[in-house]
Each structure stands twice: as C-alpha cells, then as structure tokens.
Amino acid sequence: EVKLVEYGGGLVQPGASLRLSCEASGFTFSDFYMEWIRQAPGKGLEWIAASRNKANDYSTVYSASVKDRFTISRDTYKSILYLQMNTLKPEDTAIYYCAREVRDWGQGVMVTVSS
Amino acid sequence: DIQMTQSPSSMSASLGDRVTITCQASQDIGNNLIWFQQKPGKSPRPMIYYATNLANGVPSRFSGSRSGSDYSLTISSLESEDMADYHCLQYKQYPLTFGSGTKLEIK
C-alpha cells in the first residue's frame, strides 16, 4: 500500500524558512516522479514543484510562484521527499501535499506565514 | 503555461440529477487529464485518469469524456455522498495546472 506522510509544518513569520518532509512507503521511491502541491485556505489547488525519477536524474521543476525560494529534494535511502522553503511570504500560507505522480496523495501539512 | 478553465465554479443539484462539470484546455493536452474529488478536510481523490478512465473503487455513475479541448466529468445520478469539490488537472506538461474547482452542493 502506498503511503505518504507529510510533516514539518507550522506557524512562521514572514521571511523565515521551513522544511517540509514527506515519508514515502509501499513503493520503490526512486522509480517515481514526486510532486508538492498546495492549497491556500478556501482556494484551489496549485502545483509548485516536482522531482523527476532516477531515470531522469531526479531533475527538478518549479512553479514561477516559488522558483528561487523553494527547493525540492529527496533522500533516496530514507525514501523521504523534502521541500525547503525560504523567504516565506503570507501568500505561502496553505496546506502542502506531497503526491506520487499526482495519483497518490498524503494527508497534507499546514503552513501558516504570519507575524 | 496551459490554462485550464473550469466551469461552473459552483452548482446545486438534486439527488438523482445528471451533473456535468467541464474543463477547457488552452492548448492541446491530449487526454492527459485527471479529475479529483475533494471533501472537506480531506486530500484530493483521483476519480478519472487519462480523461476517460475510471479510477479503482470509483462508482460507475462517474464518467469522463472529451470533445476537442473540452473535458467533462459527469455524474449520471447524483447521490448525497457526491457533495464535494471537484478539480481537473492537466499533466501534459510542466507546470502542471489545475482548474479553479467546482463546488457541488445538494439541493
């Protein structure tokens, strides 16, 4: 059974940094693209970052809204996906989901950016 | 970037009604589209893959179709458990883009 569990969210001040983690199990982590997707309160879904699979050298892609501030990475030995978020803004406030090829989703973790 | 224009943004229908939600793609996405259902406080659940393929465990009253650049999710006979938000997603190319969502309420 595919399982994705996000953690690391919380309340931070504008300009701060935060790292989210997503523990993956039930599949061969290196074989799959992994995504981060977020949802601001009461709003729609927004894709923000992808880590391609091993066959594609784990190359990364970002949305314009987070490029140069967020970094997606993985620890392939621990099967953990990360999202390093720097220079956080109030508009980054959202539930952050990790997903396996947008088909299997974690439960999400809340990030609140506020002073 | 590919824009996905979803309509309606909200709708109210009666139990047993036939309901259709549509997403229009601004560029060719082939059939690379997923429909998600999302209930309050829950993660999105894939309902339809590759525009027309029912995901495992999804009731047969749900179906997906395509006409040109228009993609539709249809519920043939609405049940109370179908009250939810619905989102489309194109995965033809990065950046992946979602429609703006449809809130489906039961009259």
Side-chain angles (χ1 to χ4, degrees):
Chain A
E1 177 199 3
V2 173
K3 194 171 181 184
L4 300 167
V5 179
E6 303 97 333
Y7 55 93
L11 171 64
V12 296
Q13 293 192 333
S17 297
L18 199 62
R19 188 177 79 163
L20 304 183
S21 301
C22 170
E23 278 194 17
S25 60
F27 63 99
T28 303
F29 189 57
S30 59
D31 286 350
F32 291 87
Y33 285 40
M34 297 295 297
E35 324 277 349
W36 285 102
I37 296 155
R38 69 183 180 184
Q39 187 171 34
K43 302 296 185 182
L45 297 162
E46 179 189 15
W47 170 88
I48 57 172
S51 168
R52 296 185 176 95
N53 58 10
K54 182 178 180 180
N56 288 280
D57 297 324
Y58 300 122
S59 57
T60 58
V61 197
Y62 299 93
S63 71
S65 62
V66 306
K67 188 174 169 57
D68 300 327
R69 297 190 300 126
F70 291 11
T71 302
I72 187 173
S73 62
R74 18 172 133 198
D75 183 327
T76 54
Y77 296 102
K78 296 181 180 178
S79 295
I80 299 177
L81 182 74
Y82 298 105
L83 185 68
Q84 176 67 42
M85 304 185 293
N86 297 332
T87 319
L88 281 160
K89 306 174 182 180
E91 53 264 39
D92 295 319
T93 295
I95 296 172
Y96 285 73
Y97 297 99
C98 74
R100 184 185 78 151
E101 298 191 349
V102 293
R103 285 158 170 76
D104 299 291
W105 294 55
Q107 84 286 352
V109 62
M110 186 71 205
V111 172
T112 303
V113 184
S114 174
S115 54
Chain B
D1 297 0
I2 298 174
Q3 308 301 319
M4 300 301 296
T5 302
Q6 186 171 343
S7 61
S9 56
S10 65
M11 66 181 301
S12 180
S14 300
L15 298 178
D17 280 357
R18 182 181 182 89
V19 168
T20 297
I21 298 167
T22 298
C23 276
Q24 183 178 68
S26 63
Q27 301 175 34
D28 176 47
I29 60 169
N31 276 1
N32 296 294
L33 182 120
I34 297 176
W35 286 101
F36 293 93
Q37 177 192 68
Q38 187 179 26
K39 295 188 176 181
K42 299 294 186 182
S43 304
R45 171 194 179 191
M47 305 296 280
I48 302 285
Y49 293 109
Y50 207 58
T52 62
N53 297 331
L54 206 63
N56 287 343
V58 173
S60 59
R61 64 181 180 274
F62 287 87
S63 63
S65 62
R66 173 190 178 186
S67 176
S69 62
D70 292 337
Y71 298 80
S72 297
L73 172 71
T74 297
I75 308 171
S76 60
S77 181
L78 192 66
E79 297 194 8
S80 57
E81 66 186 36
D82 302 333
M83 184 178 72
D85 293 335
Y86 292 85
H87 311 270
C88 66
L89 167 72
Q90 71 78 20
Y91 57 97
K92 171 69 172 177
Q93 67 183 49
Y94 287 111
L96 306 187
T97 45
F98 289 88
S100 54
T102 296
K103 187 175 190 67
L104 176 57
E105 296 177 322
I106 310 296
K107 279 183 186 173

